[in-house]
Amino acid sequence: MIEDRNFDDLAQKFAKNIYGTGKGQIRQTVVWEDLEQILALLKSDKPLHLLDAGGGVGQLSQKVAELGHHVTLCDLSSEMLKLAEQDIAKNGLLEQYRLVHSPVQEIGEHLDSQVDLVLFHAVMEWLADPQAALEYLLEQVRPGGIISVMFYNYNGLLFKNLICGNLTHIEEGMPHRKRFKLQPLHGIKPDEVYSWLESAGFNILGKTGVRTFHDYMQTTMVGDYSFEQVLAMEQKLCRQEPYLSLGRYIHVYAQKPLLGSETEKYKSNKDNG
């Protein structure tokens, strides 16, 4: 039986490998560009309430907290939460945070109300039932609110194996290789994620490929480029097809319609009247 991945045993290594590399810098840069668009759409006179679901050390949610918004960060790993608390404290943002030791599938029990924005980044690929977790989190979004989802792209995984000549591995269904402890359990098919969002009534506002070519570059070949050029090119191509759909990760964000809340309010008034 496949179980959700808990990073208690690898928290330090995971944080370093994900955030302390060029890969991590590309990921942070292009997704933050999307988050700036999201925050502009959610513009409010009051601070927003953000849920960072399976948030790790909260790298991106801390950038949102710096703008004065409030964050509930949950994680299955108590070790990851300790790292998050240390990093958040170092940046002087603890007052903006509430840290909860909880799987994402139970975080609703710790929320007083629905939230304005959910970040669900690089978590689904580690879960036994990613669809159920996503659908549960969609219920935590207030009408008019937005969910930001980043997932390990099945198409990118397939393409990487194709260009590396791992055809036997592909024919076997690309099973998870246990020796690669930081490799996700499985890739997620983009069309399925888009369908899950739309079936729940959410309107997809934008899609971005995260590392559309960086991970496919031949490291044995010496090309004429700098990391700054790679980052700039990633920013240029990440929202264009066909590059978007080849990203090692895909970031998609979608909005819950206001109509639902208005209908519920009308029904409530009618019942009370």
Side-chain angles (χ1 to χ4, degrees):
M1 179 179 176
I2 298 176
E3 296 182 353
D4 295 353
R5 183 65 164 92
N6 184 319
F7 284 98
D8 275 348
D9 58 331
L10 289 170
Q12 293 274 359
K13 184 177 181 181
F14 186 86
K16 181 179 178 181
N17 280 31
I18 298 301
Y19 302 117
T21 63
K23 288 183 179 182
Q25 188 174 340
I26 293 169
R27 170 168 150 177
Q28 296 288 100
T29 300
V30 299
V31 176
W32 178 247
E33 289 176 342
D34 286 347
L35 284 177
E36 287 182 314
Q37 296 294 317
I38 290 171
L39 292 173
L41 289 169
L42 293 173
K43 191 172 183 181
S44 170
D45 295 334
K46 299 179 180 179
L48 299 172
H49 183 193
L50 180 153
L51 168 62
D52 198 351
V57 298
Q59 289 284 88
L60 280 173
S61 63
Q62 287 189 57
K63 290 173 72 71
V64 178
E66 287 173 357
L67 300 175
H69 303 297
H70 301 294
V71 181
T72 296
L73 185 152
C74 74
D75 205 283
L76 181 63
S77 167
S78 58
E79 292 302 314
M80 195 68 80
L81 279 178
K82 289 178 185 176
L83 291 179
E85 185 172 18
Q86 292 169 11
D87 200 54
I88 293 165
K90 181 186 71 177
N91 294 323
L93 295 169
L94 270 181
E95 289 187 3
Q96 306 292 116
Y97 270 82
R98 180 179 171 222
L99 301 176
V100 181
H101 184 211
S102 167
V104 297
Q105 300 93 329
E106 297 176 8
I107 188 57
E109 299 173 14
H110 304 275
L111 298 173
D112 296 328
S113 61
Q114 292 174 310
V115 300
D116 301 294
L117 172 62
V118 171
L119 303 188
F120 192 34
H121 291 174
V123 179
M124 287 206 297
E125 57 269 17
W126 299 103
L127 302 180
D129 191 344
Q131 180 180 358
L134 176 63
E135 290 174 348
Y136 176 79
L137 288 175
L138 294 178
E139 296 173 2
Q140 313 310 318
V141 181
R142 70 157 174 81
I146 292 175
I147 188 164
S148 161
V149 183
M150 184 174 69
F151 57 92
Y152 190 57
N153 179 18
Y154 174 88
N155 295 335
L157 178 62
L158 175 60
F159 189 62
K160 179 69 172 178
N161 277 289
L162 284 169
I163 63 177
C164 289
N166 296 328
L167 303 191
T168 301
H169 182 58
I170 293 171
E171 290 170 353
E172 292 171 347
M174 296 190 297
H176 180 246
R177 291 170 168 173
K178 292 183 179 180
R179 66 181 183 273
F180 299 129
K181 292 186 178 181
L182 291 181
Q183 180 181 332
L185 298 175
H186 43 72
I188 309 290
K189 294 182 178 179
D191 286 345
E192 291 185 351
V193 177
Y194 306 152
S195 174
W196 298 338
L197 290 168
E198 291 173 338
S199 295
F202 279 64
N203 300 313
I204 294 176
L205 303 177
K207 303 170 185 174
T208 298
V210 180
R211 303 202 307 270
T212 61
F213 69 89
H214 171 274
D215 294 18
Y216 308 119
M217 296 174 74
Q218 299 297 316
T219 56
T220 56
M221 297 175 65
V222 181
D224 180 17
Y225 66 89
S226 64
F227 177 75
E228 289 71 25
Q229 286 176 301
V230 171
L231 179 58
M233 192 64 72
E234 286 282 4
Q235 289 175 275
K236 180 179 179 180
L237 299 177
C238 65
R239 296 172 187 89
Q240 300 178 32
E241 293 291 6
Y243 317 105
L244 187 167
S245 292
L246 288 176
R248 295 309 302 276
Y249 287 80
I250 288 180
H251 179 238
V252 54
Y253 52 102
Q255 188 168 33
K256 193 173 195 173
L258 279 169
L259 182 61
S261 66
E262 292 170 355
T263 301
E264 289 167 13
K265 185 176 180 181
Y266 171 77
K267 287 181 179 178
S268 177
N269 290 338
K270 187 176 180 181
D271 292 340
N272 294 332

